[in-house]
């Protein structure tokens, strides 16, 4: 299945989680193609900043690991 990079990112759920009390909250996503899970982007003071950084890592993952599934956007 081929999609524009923005569509892959829009359709991939990015959540904010805190695994254990006292630990930092992190942004988390899972690749829909290979099930690679990223869960290490600390939220800090801005959930939106962490989500934006998680989205950028998703874009990098898709273009480096799954380029055959990404189509060029016009």
């Amino acid at each position: 299945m081929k999609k524009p990079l923005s569509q892959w990112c829009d359709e991939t759920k990015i959540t904010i989680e805190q695994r254990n009390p006292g630990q930092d909250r992190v942004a988390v996503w899972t690749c829909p193609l290979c099930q690679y899970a990223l869960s290490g982007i600390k939220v800090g003071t801005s959930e939106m900043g962490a989500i934006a950084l998680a989205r950028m890592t998703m874009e990098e993952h898709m273009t480096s690991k799954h380029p055959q599934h990404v189509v060029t956007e016009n």
Side-chain angles (χ1 to χ4, degrees), residues 10-36:
D10 289 345
E11 293 174 356
T12 300
K13 184 177 181 179
I14 299 172
T15 59
I16 303 296
E17 298 180 2
Q18 184 176 21
R19 301 274 161 97
N20 295 304
Q23 286 187 334
D24 291 327
R25 295 181 312 143
V26 293
V28 177
W29 59 261
T30 301
C31 176
L33 296 174
C34 69
Q35 304 311 305
Y36 170 81

Side-chain angles (χ1 to χ4, degrees), residues 1-60:
M1 173 183 320
K2 288 187 163 201
K3 299 179 191 179
L5 187 55
S6 62
Q7 187 176 351
W8 280 113
C9 292
D10 289 345
E11 293 174 356
T12 300
K13 184 177 181 179
I14 299 172
T15 59
I16 303 296
E17 298 180 2
Q18 184 176 21
R19 301 274 161 97
N20 295 304
Q23 286 187 334
D24 291 327
R25 295 181 312 143
V26 293
V28 177
W29 59 261
T30 301
C31 176
L33 296 174
C34 69
Q35 304 311 305
Y36 170 81
L38 177 87
S39 63
I41 299 175
K42 291 182 182 179
V43 171
T45 58
S46 171
E47 282 189 10
M48 293 306 292
I51 289 170
L53 186 54
R55 184 181 171 103
M56 288 183 349
T57 63
M58 175 65 181
E59 291 172 353
E60 174 63 26

